[in-house]
Amino acid sequence: MNSNDIEAQFAEAKMPAAKEHYKLLVRSPDYHRIPTNEVIFQLLEAELVHRKRTKFERDLKASKIKYTTAVTENIIFDSRRNLDRNVLLPLALCEWVKFHQNVVVIGLTGVGKTHIVSWLGIEAIKQGYRVAFKRLSTLIDELEQARNEGESLQYRKKIARFPILIIDDFGLAKLTAPSRRDLLEIIEDKTGTGSILITSQMPVEKWHQYIGDPAIADAILDRLIHKAHIIEIQGESMRRDTKH
């Protein structure tokens, strides 16, 4: 069996990274001196790295996370703004996802709330979790459309397939009686099975009034806040110091 036959086998097995690495290996003058176990290890490692990277890129695209370049190196930790390294870095380990806990980030517009939850979402994707990013207004519109088309259950099942749901700008969209119930159902579906990340300009103590219906507000707050890590970012908008 020659190298072309082996490359054809890799192609048929749908192992493109292993195939490309094999082509590099056989061109190496030291190829025949490499132990067989080492060759096998390198080929499998190349394929696994490729598959993990491909899955990450696919899941990141599907998540529709707003800031796809939000990485740890870009986070500005500042205890004066309540962005404590000792608080945030443990959250990036995603233990809260394993225990179906939530994360709530509160602060004025422009303080970096969405950047923080985007970062946490990306860290979760790196660990194999699927994430869905929705502005509250978008989520409400999609729920309303699904309800009008008689597909509410199908839409909820679609959202439920993502272990992590990010709801951005909670408190900025007007809630109607149907949208309150829809929102409760979405949150209920995640309770005990997944996690929710929320950003809001509105302090948690004002959420009850915002939601409106006392019974639904109690139910939503109980499910969101009972097992939540709450981060209240201090300070004014950081956008004032930028040109965009």
Side-chain angles (χ1 to χ4, degrees):
M1 178 179 290
N2 59 37
S3 60
N4 289 335
D5 294 327
I6 294 175
E7 289 175 23
Q9 291 288 335
F10 279 130
E12 185 173 350
K14 297 182 179 179
M15 299 175 68
K19 174 185 173 182
E20 292 304 313
H21 192 72
Y22 174 75
K23 288 164 67 175
L24 292 174
L25 280 177
V26 296
R27 294 192 186 108
S28 169
D30 299 324
Y31 170 62
H32 294 291
R33 300 191 188 95
I34 304 175
T36 301
N37 285 348
E38 176 64 21
V39 171
I40 294 173
F41 176 81
Q42 287 190 31
L43 294 174
L44 290 175
E45 183 180 43
E47 187 61 34
L48 287 173
V49 168
H50 166 74
R51 292 187 180 189
K52 287 180 180 179
R53 182 174 63 250
T54 300
K55 182 179 185 301
F56 169 76
E57 291 172 352
R58 182 178 64 246
D59 289 348
L60 180 60
K61 182 178 180 180
S63 73
K64 298 184 179 179
I65 283 176
K66 185 171 183 178
Y67 297 119
T68 58
T69 58
V71 295
T72 302
E73 291 76 12
N74 293 338
I75 301 298
I76 302 175
F77 299 105
D78 185 347
S79 58
R80 294 169 300 178
R81 300 180 60 232
N82 204 29
L83 290 175
D84 193 325
R85 180 185 300 270
N86 296 324
V87 173
L88 293 177
L89 287 182
L91 290 178
L93 300 176
C94 298
E95 289 292 318
W96 50 276
V97 185
K98 296 178 183 178
F99 296 104
H100 309 310
Q101 297 171 346
N102 304 318
V103 177
V104 176
V105 184
I106 304 293
L108 299 177
T109 182
V111 297
K113 302 183 298 297
T114 304
H115 195 269
I116 293 294
V117 296
S118 294
W119 165 58
L120 292 176
I122 291 170
E123 291 301 313
I125 293 173
K126 289 178 181 177
Q127 297 191 33
Y129 296 105
R130 297 187 68 207
V131 177
F133 181 102
K134 301 282 186 183
R135 289 192 68 189
L136 179 63
S137 57
T138 301
L139 180 62
I140 289 174
D141 288 344
E142 291 177 354
L143 284 165
E144 181 179 5
Q145 181 178 351
R147 187 183 346 106
N148 292 338
E149 295 175 356
E151 296 181 352
S152 293
L153 182 58
Q154 292 89 327
Y155 182 82
R156 285 172 51 195
K157 287 182 177 179
K158 177 183 175 181
I159 294 296
R161 287 198 291 267
F162 294 87
I164 301 172
L165 172 63
I166 298 176
I167 302 178
D168 194 29
D169 284 337
F170 185 85
L172 294 186
K174 183 179 179 180
L175 296 179
T176 62
S179 62
R180 289 188 198 99
R181 291 192 296 270
D182 288 339
L183 184 60
L184 174 59
E185 294 291 347
I186 288 290
I187 293 170
E188 173 64 28
D189 290 342
K190 278 283 175 285
T191 304
T193 63
S195 296
I196 298 176
L197 288 86
I198 287 184
T199 72
S200 180
Q201 298 180 34
M202 185 181 296
V204 171
E205 55 267 23
K206 293 186 178 181
W207 286 14
H208 199 282
Q209 180 181 356
Y210 162 69
I211 294 169
D213 184 292
I216 293 179
D218 285 343
I220 288 177
L221 287 172
D222 179 66
R223 287 156 177 77
L224 284 179
I225 305 302
H226 178 62
K227 295 193 301 180
H229 301 268
I230 300 178
I231 301 168
E232 298 185 17
I233 304 178
Q234 305 297 323
E236 298 181 350
S237 174
M238 297 177 66
R239 295 176 188 154
R240 296 182 181 182
D241 298 325
T242 65
K243 296 180 180 180
H244 58 275

